Amino acid sequence: MRITVHRKAHFNAAHRLFRKDWDDERNLEVFGKCSNPNYHGHNYELIVSVTGEPNPETGFVMDLKILKELIYHEVEESFDHKNLNIEVAEFQDLNPTAENIAVVIWKKLRPEILEDHDLEVTLYETPRNFVSYKGE
Amino acid sequence: MRITVHRKAHFNAAHRLFRKDWDDERNLEVFGKCSNPNYHGHNYELIVSVTGEPNPETGFVMDLKILKELIYHEVEESFDHKNLNIEVAEFQDLNPTAENIAVVIWKKLRPEILEDHDLEVTLYETPRNFVSYKGE
Amino acid sequence: MRITVHRKAHFNAAHRLFRKDWDDERNLEVFGKCSNPNYHGHNYELIVSVTGEPNPETGFVMDLKILKELIYHEVEESFDHKNLNIEVAEFQDLNPTAENIAVVIWKKLRPEILEDHDLEVTLYETPRNFVSYKGE
Amino acid sequence: MRITVHRKAHFNAAHRLFRKDWDDERNLEVFGKCSNPNYHGHNYELIVSVTGEPNPETGFVMDLKILKELIYHEVEESFDHKNLNIEVAEFQDLNPTAENIAVVIWKKLRPEILEDHDLEVTLYETPRNFVSYKGE
Amino acid sequence: MRITVHRKAHFNAAHRLFRKDWDDERNLEVFGKCSNPNYHGHNYELIVSVTGEPNPETGFVMDLKILKELIYHEVEESFDHKNLNIEVAEFQDLNPTAENIAVVIWKKLRPEILEDHDLEVTLYETPRNFVSYKGE
Amino acid sequence: MRITVHRKAHFNAAHRLFRKDWDDERNLEVFGKCSNPNYHGHNYELIVSVTGEPNPETGFVMDLKILKELIYHEVEESFDHKNLNIEVAEFQDLNPTAENIAVVIWKKLRPEILEDHDLEVTLYETPRNFVSYKGE
């Protein structure tokens, strides 16, 4: 019996979409106003989903208090109120698209989740644009 | 051709997380403030999802009026404005975690859904904590 | 120049609607399934709104970090994961209707807000039922 | 590595559920008030989900600006502020149930999406009734 | 002491914006695609707000079960799954703009609310367009 | 007869809270992580509310298509995907708190609204923090 538990979290951050190895003109052409060199930002809404067998003793797949703290330490402490391009190591040479942010979050959380459990990350960049990644 | 139809419903209820065979200290240690012996409660939001081939005559996988009534009779009548631990038979010896509530709802609905149809239940305990179960 | 700042918070709790001086029959007649002696519960969503002149130095009517902490200490610590009828002093002899809960919260917060500032409390008992009180 | 990007859109339209080859009585019996010959309507919320490998250069599975425009040209221009039964060619002989609308949208978008990419369409007819279709 | 209680409800309906005494060209010029002669439609979300002194016995400004039923009988029964222009008497000669629908609802509810109580109606035509009216 | 029409809009932007005439230490002390010199950002949700007498010919207080375009030209074009501190003239010497952003938006819109009409601006900085200003 496999059940999925989901926990929602929030962080807000500045970013810009661009590649260091492209000039401004090409960045603007590909990424449009998202490549503004002065940055823009978002309220990112994050859903972390863990699938596994519930512990027969507790009835929990995973204690959501622990998942909440894990998200806090692995994601919010590093990303919240930050400039993703400048202050988050993973985006020094990686374009912080919603896709790439979701993969980075997945990779940070994966080692902290039981091996038998599956992990999916859903990230809302705006209420109308969002991505999901499950490590496949 | 398989399509999923989803119906949202709502009930509110009191509960506490605990095991009768553990003492108060251990219940508190494992379940924290959720084990408050005086109970706390939630507005549970429920999404029931049925997947199958649409009926070529009606264009319905399942008439959502019928699904609405089914949820009303199988879930809302038993759970709404109730104390899950005291008044709902299924939780006499089962800890009413969101995971277990979702499984109980799935088991109550499964026999009422066509055999060819798949069933998934998603249950929001709070806007930030939710679970899903599809009988696997 | 008067501006209103709003802060949203959340607590969940068990309660029942009833008057000690009425018998069960009358409580049931007036309060229906909300008078269930075994309690039911809600995810209460709270909006606290403070109106005043922004501080010309900071541009803040009130620092929302301070308002967040005030709500935490005055409301969430006393109400969250509690049985309102049994564990919250203010409801020992007061029926915990949404109206009365909103007034109690308003009275707890009012002395902590600057005298020049106006205070309004909005409380969602469910996504469809809510109340607001501004001390008039 | 496969990631899903989602884009939300909106259109509102009138429709009625009925089959031309059934008489009014049978239509009413099967489709209830949804078969009102004078029509009723909805704010349809649409989520289009595209799954594929992110482009290593851009970090995009699909540029959401392009997906937004595609949804605009293929769906909103034809459906928004329209009577689905009268004005949308696909529903001349097809009952505009949420299921059928989702399939029609999927078929309109599928040829415009890269062959390697998977496509799913989720359509909310009301906040409580919605369907999803992924071409299986 | 005056408190406001709010109740949310829902109906969906078809309508078109137009004046019988204007020709099609002028209707199109003023009302744009909203004047489509074949109609379009919306999921209307309605909030009815009643302000008054809480009854000292019950702690209720107004029993929300009664307000729910009142909205059902006065609004939903007449408007839900209807064509507002054709089937609702009040719009025979009145353009069903959100403003006018809100005023009609207010006038239908006002006689049913205690004279000492204030009444406000908020009507969402779409998640981005809404109106409110309090009888002033 | 006075009715309020509301229109929701969206922009996202980077900002930091700080005063040029304070040193970094004092900015950090007062504004905390919101004073990050590398900026952070938000999805701002904006509600513009206009109150007035409906035009008896059209039934509109104000055509919401016109209000939508006005918000686009006065607010979104200047603020969306921008760094408020660097790129928006009004914040060259004004701390971009939610309060100040709301007042700036109100002042930009006020001259474009009929003199007889009242104007209110509500600005969500996050789903939990928001402000409103009506020019009083």
Side-chain angles (χ1 to χ4, degrees):
Chain A
M1 179 189 294
R2 291 177 76 75
I3 304 184
T4 304
V5 296
H6 312 261
R7 173 75 196 170
K8 251 192 182 171
H10 176 94
F11 60 92
N12 53 65
H15 81 151
R16 64 174 295 209
L17 299 186
F18 85 120
R19 290 179 61 98
K20 286 180 183 170
D21 56 341
W22 289 358
D23 60 17
D24 280 3
E25 203 182 342
R26 185 146 180 229
N27 273 306
L28 182 64
E29 189 193 314
V30 175
F31 300 118
K33 59 187 176 178
C34 297
S35 74
N36 178 352
N38 294 313
Y39 308 101
H40 63 286
H42 298 289
N43 297 325
Y44 290 94
E45 299 284 340
L46 174 67
I47 301 172
V48 176
S49 306
V50 175
T51 302
E53 218 160 312
N55 177 319
E57 273 215 314
T58 59
F60 283 157
V61 168
M62 181 176 179
D63 186 338
L64 286 177
K65 288 191 303 297
I66 292 173
L67 184 54
K68 176 186 177 180
E69 279 160 32
L70 182 62
I71 297 170
Y72 181 74
H73 290 300
E74 293 296 329
V75 182
E76 293 173 57
E77 280 194 339
S78 316
F79 289 22
D80 189 38
H81 281 78
K82 293 289 165 59
N83 183 309
L84 300 180
N85 302 76
I86 298 176
E87 295 174 291
V88 178
E90 286 86 351
F91 302 111
Q92 292 312 300
D93 296 299
L94 182 68
N95 196 7
T97 59
E99 289 92 327
N100 283 336
I101 302 172
V103 172
V104 163
I105 291 171
W106 191 92
K107 285 184 179 165
K108 287 167 80 88
L109 294 174
R110 182 63 265 190
E112 311 298 326
I113 302 288
L114 284 184
E115 227 176 294
D116 282 356
H117 287 174
D118 295 325
L119 175 65
E120 181 168 8
V121 159
T122 299
L123 183 72
Y124 283 75
E125 195 175 77
T126 72
R128 297 191 164 235
N129 289 355
F130 56 110
V131 304
S132 38
Y133 178 59
K134 43 185 172 179
E136 283 171 3
Chain B
M1 179 188 294
R2 290 177 77 75
I3 304 184
T4 304
V5 296
H6 312 262
R7 174 74 195 170
K8 252 191 181 173
H10 175 95
F11 61 92
N12 54 65
H15 82 150
R16 63 174 297 210
L17 300 188
F18 84 119
R19 291 180 61 96
K20 286 180 181 169
D21 56 342
W22 289 358
D23 61 18
D24 280 3
E25 202 183 342
R26 186 152 178 222
N27 273 306
L28 183 64
E29 189 194 314
V30 174
F31 299 118
K33 58 188 178 179
C34 297
S35 74
N36 178 354
N38 293 314
Y39 308 100
H40 63 286
H42 298 289
N43 296 325
Y44 291 94
E45 297 285 339
L46 174 67
I47 301 172
V48 176
S49 306
V50 175
T51 302
E53 218 159 312
N55 177 318
E57 274 215 313
T58 60
F60 283 158
V61 169
M62 180 177 179
D63 185 338
L64 286 176
K65 288 191 302 297
I66 292 172
L67 183 55
K68 175 185 177 181
E69 278 159 33
L70 181 62
I71 298 170
Y72 181 73
H73 290 301
E74 295 295 330
V75 182
E76 293 174 56
E77 280 194 339
S78 316
F79 290 21
D80 188 39
H81 281 79
K82 293 289 165 60
N83 183 309
L84 300 181
N85 302 76
I86 298 176
E87 295 173 292
V88 178
E90 287 86 350
F91 301 111
Q92 292 311 300
D93 296 298
L94 182 67
N95 196 7
T97 59
E99 289 92 328
N100 283 336
I101 302 171
V103 172
V104 163
I105 291 172
W106 190 93
K107 285 183 179 164
K108 286 168 79 87
L109 294 174
R110 182 62 266 190
E112 311 298 327
I113 302 289
L114 284 184
E115 227 176 294
D116 282 355
H117 286 174
D118 295 325
L119 174 66
E120 181 169 8
V121 159
T122 299
L123 183 73
Y124 284 74
E125 195 174 77
T126 72
R128 298 191 164 235
N129 289 353
F130 56 110
V131 305
S132 39
Y133 178 60
K134 43 185 170 179
E136 284 173 1
Chain C
M1 179 189 293
R2 291 177 76 75
I3 303 184
T4 304
V5 296
H6 312 261
R7 173 76 197 169
K8 252 193 181 171
H10 176 93
F11 61 91
N12 53 66
H15 80 151
R16 64 174 294 211
L17 299 186
F18 84 122
R19 290 180 61 97
K20 286 179 182 169
D21 56 340
W22 289 357
D23 60 16
D24 281 2
E25 202 183 342
R26 187 153 178 222
N27 273 306
L28 183 64
E29 188 193 315
V30 175
F31 299 118
K33 59 187 178 179
C34 297
S35 74
N36 179 352
N38 294 313
Y39 308 101
H40 63 286
H42 298 289
N43 297 325
Y44 291 94
E45 297 285 339
L46 174 67
I47 301 172
V48 176
S49 306
V50 175
T51 301
E53 216 159 314
N55 177 318
E57 273 214 314
T58 59
F60 282 158
V61 169
M62 180 177 179
D63 185 340
L64 286 176
K65 288 191 302 298
I66 292 172
L67 183 55
K68 176 187 177 180
E69 278 159 33
L70 182 62
I71 297 169
Y72 181 74
H73 290 299
E74 294 296 330
V75 182
E76 293 173 58
E77 280 195 338
S78 317
F79 289 22
D80 189 38
H81 281 79
K82 293 289 165 61
N83 183 309
L84 299 180
N85 301 75
I86 297 176
E87 295 173 292
V88 179
E90 287 86 349
F91 301 111
Q92 291 311 302
D93 295 300
L94 181 68
N95 195 6
T97 59
E99 289 92 328
N100 283 337
I101 302 172
V103 172
V104 163
I105 291 172
W106 190 93
K107 286 183 179 165
K108 287 168 79 87
L109 294 174
R110 183 62 266 190
E112 311 299 326
I113 302 289
L114 284 184
E115 227 175 294
D116 281 356
H117 286 175
D118 294 326
L119 174 66
E120 181 168 9
V121 159
T122 300
L123 183 73
Y124 284 76
E125 196 175 76
T126 72
R128 297 192 164 234
N129 288 355
F130 57 109
V131 304
S132 39
Y133 178 60
K134 45 185 172 180
E136 282 170 4
Chain D
M1 179 189 293
R2 290 177 78 75
I3 303 185
T4 304
V5 297
H6 311 261
R7 174 74 196 170
K8 251 191 182 173
H10 176 96
F11 60 92
N12 54 65
H15 80 152
R16 65 174 295 209
L17 300 187
F18 84 119
R19 290 180 61 97
K20 286 179 182 169
D21 56 341
W22 289 357
D23 61 18
D24 280 2
E25 201 182 343
R26 185 149 179 225
N27 273 306
L28 182 64
E29 188 193 315
V30 174
F31 299 118
K33 59 187 176 178
C34 297
S35 73
N36 178 352
N38 293 314
Y39 308 100
H40 64 286
H42 298 289
N43 296 326
Y44 291 94
E45 298 284 339
L46 174 67
I47 301 172
V48 176
S49 306
V50 175
T51 301
E53 217 159 313
N55 177 319
E57 274 214 314
T58 60
F60 282 157
V61 169
M62 180 175 180
D63 185 339
L64 287 176
K65 288 191 303 295
I66 293 172
L67 184 54
K68 176 185 177 182
E69 278 159 33
L70 182 62
I71 297 170
Y72 182 73
H73 291 299
E74 294 295 330
V75 183
E76 293 173 58
E77 281 194 339
S78 317
F79 290 22
D80 188 39
H81 281 79
K82 294 288 165 60
N83 184 309
L84 299 181
N85 302 76
I86 297 175
E87 295 173 291
V88 178
E90 287 86 349
F91 302 111
Q92 292 312 301
D93 295 298
L94 181 68
N95 197 6
T97 59
E99 289 92 328
N100 283 337
I101 302 171
V103 172
V104 163
I105 291 172
W106 190 92
K107 286 183 179 164
K108 287 167 79 88
L109 294 174
R110 182 61 265 189
E112 310 299 327
I113 302 287
L114 284 184
E115 227 176 293
D116 282 355
H117 286 175
D118 295 326
L119 174 66
E120 181 168 8
V121 159
T122 300
L123 183 73
Y124 283 75
E125 195 174 77
T126 73
R128 297 190 164 236
N129 288 354
F130 57 109
V131 305
S132 38
Y133 178 60
K134 44 185 171 180
E136 285 172 2
Chain E
M1 178 188 294
R2 289 177 77 75
I3 303 185
T4 305
V5 297
H6 311 261
R7 173 73 196 169
K8 251 192 181 172
H10 175 95
F11 61 91
N12 54 65
H15 81 152
R16 65 173 294 209
L17 300 186
F18 84 119
R19 290 180 60 97
K20 287 179 183 171
D21 56 341
W22 289 357
D23 61 18
D24 281 1
E25 201 183 345
R26 184 148 181 224
N27 274 307
L28 182 64
E29 188 193 314
V30 174
F31 299 118
K33 59 189 177 177
C34 298
S35 72
N36 179 352
N38 293 314
Y39 307 101
H40 64 286
H42 298 289
N43 296 325
Y44 291 94
E45 298 284 339
L46 173 66
I47 301 172
V48 176
S49 306
V50 175
T51 302
E53 218 160 313
N55 177 319
E57 273 214 313
T58 59
F60 283 158
V61 169
M62 179 176 181
D63 185 339
L64 287 176
K65 288 191 302 297
I66 292 172
L67 183 54
K68 176 186 176 180
E69 278 160 34
L70 182 62
I71 298 170
Y72 181 74
H73 290 300
E74 294 295 331
V75 183
E76 293 173 57
E77 280 194 339
S78 317
F79 289 22
D80 189 39
H81 281 79
K82 294 287 166 61
N83 184 308
L84 299 180
N85 302 76
I86 298 177
E87 296 173 292
V88 178
E90 287 86 349
F91 302 111
Q92 292 311 301
D93 296 299
L94 181 68
N95 196 6
T97 59
E99 289 92 328
N100 283 337
I101 301 171
V103 172
V104 163
I105 291 172
W106 189 92
K107 286 183 179 164
K108 286 168 79 88
L109 294 174
R110 182 63 266 189
E112 310 299 325
I113 302 288
L114 284 184
E115 226 176 293
D116 282 355
H117 286 176
D118 295 325
L119 174 66
E120 181 169 8
V121 159
T122 299
L123 184 73
Y124 283 75
E125 195 175 76
T126 73
R128 297 190 165 236
N129 289 354
F130 57 109
V131 305
S132 39
Y133 178 59
K134 44 186 172 179
E136 282 172 4
Chain F
M1 177 188 296
R2 290 178 76 75
I3 304 185
T4 304
V5 296
H6 311 261
R7 173 74 195 168
K8 252 192 182 172
H10 176 94
F11 61 92
N12 53 66
H15 81 151
R16 64 174 296 209
L17 300 186
F18 84 120
R19 290 180 61 98
K20 285 180 183 169
D21 56 341
W22 289 359
D23 61 17
D24 281 2
E25 202 182 342
R26 187 153 178 220
N27 273 306
L28 182 64
E29 189 193 314
V30 174
F31 299 117
K33 59 187 178 180
C34 298
S35 73
N36 179 352
N38 293 314
Y39 307 101
H40 63 286
H42 298 290
N43 296 326
Y44 290 95
E45 297 284 339
L46 174 67
I47 301 172
V48 176
S49 306
V50 175
T51 302
E53 218 159 313
N55 177 319
E57 274 215 314
T58 59
F60 283 157
V61 169
M62 179 176 180
D63 185 338
L64 286 176
K65 287 192 304 296
I66 292 172
L67 184 54
K68 176 187 177 179
E69 278 159 33
L70 182 61
I71 297 170
Y72 181 74
H73 290 300
E74 294 296 330
V75 182
E76 292 174 58
E77 280 194 339
S78 317
F79 290 21
D80 188 38
H81 281 80
K82 293 289 166 61
N83 183 309
L84 300 180
N85 303 76
I86 297 176
E87 296 173 291
V88 178
E90 287 86 349
F91 301 111
Q92 292 312 300
D93 296 299
L94 181 68
N95 196 8
T97 59
E99 288 92 328
N100 283 337
I101 301 172
V103 172
V104 163
I105 291 171
W106 190 92
K107 286 184 180 165
K108 287 168 79 88
L109 295 174
R110 182 62 265 190
E112 311 299 327
I113 301 289
L114 284 184
E115 226 177 295
D116 281 356
H117 286 174
D118 295 324
L119 174 65
E120 181 169 8
V121 159
T122 299
L123 184 72
Y124 284 74
E125 195 175 76
T126 72
R128 296 190 165 235
N129 290 353
F130 56 108
V131 304
S132 39
Y133 179 60
K134 45 185 170 179
E136 283 171 2

